[in-house]
């Protein structure tokens, strides 16, 4: 299956099929590409004759959904000074809920359980997350000099089929 076929499956998952022109408009692909793609998807058993998703397509979505996430929380959040001089931005509470904990719970609720948090500023304050949520911490010692791209380079082996989430 190519990218266009998968994109059309996503469109059909999110919006019921009306006609090929509507699908072409909503997907941004040409009518000819949509027609050819629909034929391939029916032939592969991912769409029924009336262009609705089959159980095989549902299984494909379940299998391809990421089960891993990287949360980028290394920076000091200098735009929030003086609020966060003693607490990293990711550990601030909003309406009684710690921001990074909320993100972890939301990821867990959709089946993402392999979570790595890249930390830097006041890294020791994040250690409770290991016990409470089973996350892995990776330390970016250069957080004050380098940005999120460096943080990502530290976890490059974990980025395949992964959500990359900036912490707030």
């Amino acid at each position: 299956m190519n990218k266009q076929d998968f994109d059309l499956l996503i469109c059909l998952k999110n919006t019921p099929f009306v006609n090929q022109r509507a699908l072409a408009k909503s997907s941004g692909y040409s009518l000819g590409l949509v027609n050819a793609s629909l034929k391939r998807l029916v032939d592969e058993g991912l769409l029924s004759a009336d262009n609705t998703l089959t159980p095989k397509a549902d299984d494909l979505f379940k299998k391809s959904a990421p089960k891993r996430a990287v949360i980028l929380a290394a920076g000091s959040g200098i735009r929030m000074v003086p609020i966060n001089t003693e607490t990293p931005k990711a550990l601030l509470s909003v309406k009684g809920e710690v921001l990074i904990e909320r993100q972890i719970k939301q990821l867990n609720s959709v089946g993402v359980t392999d979570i790595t948090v890249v930390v830097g500023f006041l890294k020791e304050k994040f250690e409770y997350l290991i016990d409470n949520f089973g996350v892995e911490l990776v330390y970016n010692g250069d957080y004050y000099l380098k940005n999120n791209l460096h943080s990502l380079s530290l976890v490059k082996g974990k980025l395949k089929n992964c959500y990359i989430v900036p912490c707030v």
Side-chain angles (χ1 to χ4, degrees):
M1 171 183 318
N2 61 35
K3 180 182 179 335
Q4 293 83 10
D5 292 351
F6 195 73
D7 288 347
L8 289 175
L9 274 179
I10 292 170
C11 282
L12 291 167
K13 181 180 181 189
N14 296 329
T15 307
F17 181 78
V18 176
N19 60 43
Q20 285 125 341
R21 288 192 191 285
L23 185 55
K25 185 176 181 180
S26 68
S27 68
Y29 291 118
S30 71
L31 183 59
L33 192 139
V34 167
N35 288 333
S37 206
L38 289 175
K39 182 180 180 334
R40 276 193 304 274
L41 293 169
V42 169
D43 291 345
E44 291 178 26
L46 296 165
L47 290 179
S48 63
D50 64 350
N51 294 313
T52 58
L53 298 180
T54 64
K56 185 177 177 180
D58 292 334
D59 287 344
L60 176 67
F61 282 120
K62 286 177 188 168
K63 287 178 185 172
S64 61
K67 302 289 183 237
R68 174 184 310 170
V70 171
I71 299 176
L72 302 171
S76 58
I78 58 173
R79 291 175 293 210
M80 296 186 69
V81 170
I83 296 171
N84 64 333
T85 55
E86 295 179 15
T87 303
K89 180 173 66 169
L91 296 177
L92 294 174
S93 286
V94 175
K95 294 186 178 183
E97 194 168 19
V98 177
L99 295 172
I100 195 165
E101 290 180 16
R102 181 170 191 244
Q103 284 184 317
I104 292 169
K105 290 174 189 174
Q106 288 173 328
L107 288 165
N108 287 166
S109 74
V110 294
V112 178
T113 55
D114 181 358
I115 299 173
T116 302
V117 181
V118 183
V119 297
F121 176 66
L122 297 174
K123 66 177 174 29
E124 62 281 352
K125 294 205 174 200
F126 289 91
E127 291 177 356
Y128 80 96
L129 295 172
I130 298 168
D131 293 330
N132 292 6
F133 296 98
V135 303
E136 178 186 348
L137 300 182
V138 172
Y139 178 57
N140 176 357
D142 292 325
Y143 69 90
Y144 56 93
L145 295 172
K146 299 178 181 177
N147 61 19
N148 280 340
L149 291 177
H150 180 67
S151 290
L152 285 174
S153 74
L154 298 174
V155 293
K156 62 185 169 195
K158 297 177 176 280
L159 298 179
K160 184 176 181 183
N161 198 21
C162 167
Y163 292 114
I164 299 170
V165 184
C167 192
V168 292

